[in-house]
Amino acid sequence: MREPADVAVVGTGVVGLAVAVELLHRGLDVTVVGPRTGAHQGQGTRAAGAMLSTFSELEPQHDAVRAGMETAERLAAHQAYPAWLERIEAMGGGTVQAPSGTWVLAPAGRRSCLDPIAAAARAAGHSVEEHDASSIPALRAPASSAGALWLPTESRVDSAALMEALSRAVEQQPRATWISQSATAVSAGTVACTEGETVRAREVVLAAGCGIPALLPECGRPLGVPPILAGRGVSARLAAPGVEVEQVVRTPNAEFACGAHLVPRTDGTLYLGGTNRLTLDADPAQAPSLDEVAVLASDAAALLDPRLGAASLLDTRTGLRPYTLDHLPLIGRTGDPSVLVATATYRCGVLLAPRLAQLVADEITAPGSLDAHPYRALRPMPAPRIDDVLADGAAQGLLEHLLQGGGHLPPAQQDEFAAFTALALRALLDEGSQAGAAVRRLWERAPVIEAVPALFALARRLEGVR
C-alpha cells in the first residue's frame, strides 16, 4: 500500500495540473489522479481556444461591483502568467509561448458591447485602441460590422502545448505520483479509481470539472458543494487560405454563449469556437451535432469573415465547461475540511488556472485563507428566480440566439417577441399542464440564464411525444 500523499489532486485538466504544479513547487507530496494520455473526451481545456481574456469577457449588463471583482481576479491571473510559464519550463515542462494581441469585433448593432471592455482595460492601465472593423489585419470583416477594439495585452496559448508542458512538469518531480486512472468516488482522505486502486492523502482537491458531482455522495450535497452545471462547447479546426490572421479575433459575448472567435495556431490552421449550450446529462463522448457545427460555420461567415464559409473543416472537438448558479469559480474547502474543490471556471479556466492554483495552495498551507474570498466553495448561492433572469434581458437574448448568424427583425417586433417570450415562460411555469410541469422540472434542475433557450425549445420536444 502506498504511503498517503500530502494532497491528492483529482482531475488532469488545466486547473488540476496547475494546482499540482503549485503544490509541488511548495514542497508537498502530490498524487495526481486522472488519465495522462488518450482522447480526454469532453475535457474543456483541450477543446478550448485558450484565449487569455482579461477584459474581453465583460458584457454591458454585468453588475459594476461584480465586474470589478472578476476583472481584479483576471488581472491577478494575467500578471501571474509569465512567471507561471517560466516555472513550468524550469520544472521540466518545456517552453510555452503566449503571443499577445486580441481584436474584439462588434457585429452590426452591438457597438455598445465594446464599451465595458475598453473601460475596464483603461481603468487597469492597459492599452486599448478603437478602430473600424476594416482595420483588422488579414480579415475581411462584414461591411455591417459596428467597430473593433485592439487589446495588445490580451494573450493566448496553445491549449495542447500548455497541457503537455504541465503534464511533463508534474512527471519530472520526485514528489509527484501520477495514477493514470479515472476516479470513481471520493471520501475523506480516499480516492477510489477505475482499476481498483485506492489513493490515500491527507487532503483531496477535486478539479474534475463537470465530473465532480458523480464522485461525491448525493452529488455533493452532504459536503455543501453547490450544483455544478455543464456548458457544452463545440470547436473546429480549419484550413482557411487567405484568412491568415496572426492575433485572436473575437466578437463580444452573446447572451448565452461566448463570442465567435478565431485563434491562430502555430501549424497555420485556425481554431474556431463560439458555441455554448446547457446540458443536463453531460456525455463526454458525445460527438458534435451537425446543428452545432452549422452554428459555428454560420457565425464565422456572418460575423467574422465571409471567406470562412469556404474553409476546410479539419476536425472538431467537444468540451464541457463547468459552472455554478452564480457563474463564479468554486474553490476551497467543502463541508468536509479534508476535501477541497477547484472548478467552475466556465469560459476562463486557462486564464485563471495559475491564480486558482495559488489560492488553493494558500488554503492548504494556511487553512482559512479563503474564508472571505468570493470564490469560496461554501458561499451562499441562492437559485435565481425566473422573473429576475427574464428581467436581466434573457428574453431579448433569446431572440439574438434564434437570429444568430446575422438575422434580424425590426426593432418593434424584437421588443414584442421579447415581451411575449417572457410572458409565455412565466405562464408555463405557473400552469398545471404537462408542459408547465416539464418547464418547472427543467428550471429546478438548472435555474440559470443558459436554460432559457432550452425552456423555449421544450414545447417542440413535448409535442413530439404526444
Side-chain angles (χ1 to χ4, degrees):
M1 181 180 297
R2 300 177 188 270
E3 287 294 318
D6 293 321
V7 183
V9 177
V10 179
T12 51
V14 67
V15 173
L17 294 185
V19 169
V21 162
E22 182 68 27
L23 293 171
L24 289 164
H25 175 71
R26 299 191 187 195
L28 278 69
D29 294 322
V30 177
T31 298
V32 174
V33 180
R36 166 65 173 90
T37 58
H40 296 280
Q41 290 180 318
Q43 188 184 93
T45 306
R46 287 175 169 82
M51 301 178 293
L52 306 183
S53 301
T54 315
F55 308 108
S56 56
E57 286 285 315
L58 289 170
E59 303 171 24
Q61 67 271 26
H62 284 168
D63 171 81
V65 174
R66 171 166 173 155
M69 179 272 292
E70 289 200 80
T71 300
E73 291 296 329
R74 291 171 186 162
L75 278 167
H78 169 89
Q79 292 161 2
Y81 233 88
W84 186 58
L85 294 181
E86 290 176 5
R87 177 181 298 169
I88 293 170
E89 182 176 9
M91 293 174 68
T95 302
V96 178
Q97 301 293 336
S100 296
T102 292
W103 286 95
V104 187
L105 170 63
R110 299 187 63 200
R111 175 62 183 77
S112 62
C113 293
L114 302 180
D115 295 339
I117 298 171
R122 290 180 178 126
H126 285 237
S127 177
V128 57
E129 300 173 8
E130 298 185 25
H131 292 268
D132 291 332
S134 59
S135 300
I136 302 176
L139 196 80
R140 293 182 190 169
S144 61
S145 299
L149 290 181
W150 168 239
L151 302 172
T153 61
E154 277 206 358
S155 305
R156 70 181 191 271
V157 294
D158 185 302
S159 57
L162 176 62
M163 294 307 297
E164 185 57 30
L166 280 167
S167 298
R168 288 200 303 265
V170 170
E171 290 174 323
Q172 295 291 325
Q173 307 312 305
R175 290 181 175 272
T177 302
W178 195 315
I179 307 298
S180 191
Q181 303 173 29
S182 296
T184 58
V186 172
S187 57
T190 303
V191 180
C193 303
T194 48
E195 296 178 21
E197 180 139 13
T198 298
V199 174
R200 291 178 172 79
R202 288 192 298 105
E203 295 176 289
V204 177
V205 177
L206 295 175
C210 303
I212 289 175
L215 300 177
L216 299 174
E218 297 181 39
C219 296
R221 292 183 184 88
L223 301 186
V225 178
I228 298 173
L229 304 173
R232 177 180 157 88
V234 168
S235 60
R237 194 167 59 94
L238 310 177
V243 190
E244 296 167 355
V245 295
E246 296 183 358
Q247 292 92 21
V248 170
V249 181
R250 62 165 297 170
T251 63
N253 286 344
E255 187 65 54
F256 308 114
C258 45
H261 49 276
L262 285 177
V263 183
R265 295 303 195 202
T266 55
D267 61 1
T269 63
L270 289 175
Y271 170 101
L272 171 65
T275 69
N276 185 66
R277 296 183 178 182
L278 171 71
T279 176
L280 296 178
D281 299 302
D283 179 2
Q286 184 180 352
S289 69
L290 194 60
D291 175 60
E292 288 170 313
V293 175
V295 168
L296 274 181
S298 174
D299 281 357
L303 304 179
L304 297 174
D305 191 322
R307 294 174 295 171
L308 291 170
S312 298
L313 180 62
L314 302 178
D315 53 53
T316 60
R317 191 163 185 120
T318 301
L320 299 173
R321 303 182 181 102
Y323 67 104
T324 55
L325 299 183
D326 65 6
H327 295 76
L328 292 177
L330 202 63
I331 58 174
R333 298 187 190 277
T334 67
D336 181 338
S338 70
V339 178
L340 297 86
V341 290
T343 188
T345 50
Y346 205 14
R347 297 190 292 253
C348 291
V350 178
L351 169 64
L352 289 176
R355 173 63 173 165
L356 298 192
Q358 179 187 50
L359 292 171
V360 170
D362 287 347
E363 176 63 32
I364 287 173
T365 56
S369 298
L370 292 177
D371 285 355
H373 197 280
Y375 294 169
R376 65 192 183 279
L378 298 181
R379 65 183 180 266
M381 199 181 299
R385 297 168 57 249
I386 186 67
D387 282 349
D388 295 333
V389 169
L390 294 174
D392 284 342
Q396 183 65 41
L398 176 61
L399 178 61
E400 295 177 8
H401 172 76
L402 295 173
L403 295 176
Q404 58 196 346
H408 65 279
L409 288 175
Q413 290 186 12
Q414 291 188 36
D415 293 342
E416 289 172 356
F417 177 89
F420 174 78
T421 300
L423 181 66
L425 288 178
R426 289 190 185 99
L428 273 174
L429 283 164
D430 291 335
E431 187 178 304
S433 67
Q434 178 189 11
V439 169
R440 284 194 298 277
R441 286 196 300 272
L442 178 55
W443 180 252
E444 287 166 1
R445 290 185 66 186
V448 289
I449 195 169
E450 290 84 356
V452 171
L455 294 173
F456 184 81
L458 190 59
R460 183 182 61 187
R461 298 201 299 273
L462 289 171
E463 189 67 30
V465 300
R466 288 178 181 174

